[in-house]
Amino acid sequence: MGPSDNGARSESHTTAAPERRKLEQVVIRFAGDSGDGMQLTGDRFTSEAAVFGNDLATQPNYPAEIRAPAGTLPGVSSFQIQIADYDILTAGDRPDVLVAMNPAALKANLGDLPRGGLVIVNSDEFTKRNLAKVGYEADPLESGELSDYVVQAVPMTTLTLGAVEPIGASKKDGQRAKNMFALGLLSWMYGRPIQTSENFIREKFAGKPDIAETNVLALKAGWNYGETTEAFATTYEVSRAVLPAGEYRQISGNTAMAYGIVAAGQLADIPVVLGSYPITPASDILHELSKHKNFNVITFQAEDEIGGVCAALGAAYGGALGVTSTSGPGLSLKAEAIGLGVMTELPMLIIDVQRAGPSTGMPTKTEQADLMQAMYGRNGESPVAVLAPCSPSDCFETAIEAVRIAVSYHTPVIVLSDGAIANGSEPWRIPDVDALEPIEHTFAKPDEPFQPYARDPETLARQFAIPGTPGLEHRIGGLECANGSGNISYDPANHELMVRLREAKIDGIRVPDLEVDDPTGDAELLLIGWGSTYGPIGEACRRARRNGIKVAHAHLRHLRPFPANLGEVLRRYPQVVAPEMNMGQLALLLRGKYLVDVQSVTKVQGVSFLADEVGRVIRAALGGTLAEIEQDKTMVARLAAATVGSGVGAEV
């Protein structure tokens, strides 16, 4: 929902005040070099929208290379935000407005902009050298290449340097502040207050007042440029969203996960011990939890992934809430220690923020390919509970639910987040903590009969004694234990009994029935998903229903065990389709367990589904052409392989 006029560089010279146009929603993407501060710019615009009262959703996109050459395509960083006056589910399919800080950012993102979209570029960066870096033979601002778009070329660097010259700021510091100029300009265009950003800047650089003043002047210069230039004929207004009553704040998935862990520790009245090794995109959980020592949280940055999970395991054995966070490569390294947690039946939380693989893969890109690893990626029969949040704010409740299961059933629990959820943000209604149910961690008492593998008849959780408690001395370990006494046992019948007991304990975890969003109750098609596909599937279903198409949507938080009514839900619909950012792992599990022909739709590009893509899936499924979509993907891969095999480079 941006400007509808087509043309190249604007030459408007109107003296009238800009037209104020009301929009229901808009999608804005900030893009630039990884050193241009696009993530900070997007985050500040998000905060302004949150303070204003819009509903919002964001999706950052980071370069996979830590120090990609400046001005090149691999070094482009972007931040997309959708703001709306109604409830939204995604950060938007395509941007209405693209802010490009250099030619690389323009080239990398222009293909996503619809015809008629607004492009705001920092024209100072469109030098011959920078154009050549990304393969532009001519300046697109002058060649007519952008004639399908509304283009505003703004010399942001020059204007920023002019704004900070009176305080004697260095050229280097002035150039670094040009992202704040862009923020000020966009804030003016959409009526966002900049006071919160000014306060943030002054607080962030409190120890460097000269830097703070430089950035504030750049921010105000961007706002004033919009206010005084004759180039922008239109400004826009997106009203406050009508959301359920309550106190809200903007929150990312990783932050919400950390808050959920802190809250769970308080609800269980036990210490939280995080053993972790930094890994993208999970590191922010470690960073956030390290700020909350006052809530009885201990964070330990281990020397490696194995050290991190073993610290969590030891903490769980000692009676604390043992937590470890990682991504897919780390989950594989933690597998043996998680298996020890299964054998010793210890309550611990393993958070896997999935990214594109295998191996290092694309470390800053999102994927859902660790489901099978979480379910079965350990030696022997090694069952654990597996949950997945569906959005950034849902991470809070999912973390509490995961801890409740871990503590109640004495089992490791894996939570599968992913890069889209972890880095994305949305409004979060702050819960009433007094209304959250306590979590009871039951410890054996010295005056009660005790056996380390005596089981609760309802949950099958074993008795739990804190090591060193007088009279409750016991031995547990990685060797198979006799049921009840916990003595080492090589008896075949006992081993089968213990294997089946551990499986029965996981299968018996009480989880809510699966809810189905089917307004008419007679849809012919069910879309089922898990994790971050919730937003694109939900939005696609909304659009389909507005066009008179009947479609149902169900989303799984509990992946092991599945909800008790899942089989009945799947069998209720003539067609079931599972869109996933992997090669069809959930679909395979559902087919195998319920013998239902769940059709798989896959995407493994390191980026989330678009709602438009899921919309095409809905139409194809109801039109009988769904198989052709997956067949086309296979054909593309074969053609690419054949091209590479012939010695000719190819990009898919």
Side-chain angles (χ1 to χ4, degrees), residues 575-598:
Q575 284 197 83
V576 181
V577 176
E580 295 181 78
M581 292 187 294
N582 56 44
M583 295 297 284
Q585 295 181 24
L586 176 64
L588 182 63
L589 291 169
L590 297 180
R591 287 194 202 107
K593 185 172 179 64
Y594 299 106
L595 303 181
V596 173
D597 183 21
V598 178

Side-chain angles (χ1 to χ4, degrees), residues 165 453 623 648:
E165 184 180 9
Y453 283 88
V648 181

Side-chain angles (χ1 to χ4, degrees), residues 174-197:
Q175 289 175 331
R176 284 179 172 176
K178 62 182 180 290
N179 64 321
M180 290 295 103
F181 182 98
L183 174 62
L185 176 57
L186 267 293
S187 299
W188 170 80
M189 282 186 62
Y190 289 93
R192 308 292 94 176
I194 61 171
Q195 187 60 49
T196 55
S197 291

Side-chain angles (χ1 to χ4, degrees), residues 130-150:
N130 287 343
L131 292 167
K133 282 183 182 180
V134 293
Y136 277 123
E137 295 181 0
D139 186 346
L141 302 181
E142 306 291 349
S143 66
E145 184 175 339
L146 304 179
S147 59
D148 285 340
Y149 309 98
V150 178

Side-chain angles (χ1 to χ4, degrees), residues 153-169:
V154 181
M156 298 186 195
T157 305
T158 299
L159 292 170
T160 301
L161 290 174
V164 303
E165 184 180 9
I167 64 170

Side-chain angles (χ1 to χ4, degrees), residues 351-427:
I351 300 165
D352 174 13
V353 185
Q354 301 162 98
R355 69 189 200 189
S359 187
T360 307
M362 299 193 295
T364 62
K365 310 304 180 183
T366 192
E367 207 162 83
Q368 290 182 298
D370 295 347
L371 178 56
M372 287 298 193
Q373 182 181 198
M375 299 279 268
Y376 303 115
R378 295 163 295 282
N379 64 294
E381 295 289 345
S382 185
V384 300
V386 181
L387 289 79
C390 69
S391 69
S393 62
D394 188 48
C395 287
F396 179 82
E397 290 186 7
T398 303
I400 293 177
E401 171 74 1
V403 172
R404 192 180 304 279
I405 290 172
V407 168
S408 300
Y409 293 86
H410 293 168
T411 179
V413 178
I414 296 177
V415 173
L416 291 175
S417 179
D418 62 54
I421 289 174
N423 295 323
S425 62
E426 63 183 356

